[in-house]
Amino acid sequence: MKYVLMFVDTEEFAKELEAMTPAELERSYQRVNQWLTDHAAKITNRGAKLQGAETATTVRLDGGEPVTTDGPYIEGKEVVSGFLEIEVADLDEALRMVKTWPACPVVEIRPVES
């Protein structure tokens, strides 16, 4: 079964990253790279790290005419910062995988429609 993992940064996590020394940041990136390596066989699309929410453009289609605005859909303390696609046997396997994620504190898991 395919799932998309959406990695969600919080304001608190962003502050923790800002407070890290270059050596601490490097160790953090190494843990993420190791996680990606450890699970490479299950990752079907490496996805991407997204630019900050302030770079978003939102198109609202819920009214008569589409309305385009700069910025994210909603102002929030949590924003999706990246994503990737995995293929695993079931949700339980996806959960086991995600519970070892070494970076941002929230990961949303969604099944991909076939």
Side-chain angles (χ1 to χ4, degrees):
M1 180 143 196
K2 287 189 179 185
Y3 292 91
V4 168
L5 307 181
M6 291 180 282
F7 302 103
V8 180
D9 287 345
T10 61
E11 288 179 350
E12 183 178 319
F13 181 71
K15 289 176 186 175
E16 290 172 9
L17 284 177
E18 289 175 13
M20 286 183 179
T21 66
E24 290 170 326
L25 271 175
E26 181 61 30
R27 284 191 297 279
S28 178
Y29 292 138
Q30 287 173 354
R31 286 191 300 274
V32 169
N33 287 331
Q34 186 61 54
W35 187 92
L36 292 168
T37 299
D38 292 346
H39 298 286
K42 297 173 183 157
I43 297 171
T44 59
N45 181 329
R46 280 299 287 259
K49 171 81 172 139
L50 301 174
Q51 292 186 18
E54 70 280 358
T55 67
T57 299
T58 300
V59 180
R60 295 179 186 270
L61 303 170
D62 55 357
E65 288 292 317
V67 176
T68 303
T69 57
D70 290 334
Y73 172 68
I74 57 171
E75 293 293 325
K77 296 181 185 283
E78 297 181 347
V79 295
V80 175
S81 61
F83 64 95
L84 58 83
E85 184 180 282
I86 61 172
E87 188 161 352
V88 293
D90 53 28
L91 179 58
D92 289 335
E93 186 176 0
L95 288 167
R96 283 191 299 275
M97 205 173 144
V98 166
K99 287 178 180 179
T100 64
W101 175 246
C104 60
V106 179
V107 180
E108 183 175 328
I109 303 169
R110 284 199 206 173
V112 175
E113 289 189 17
S114 41

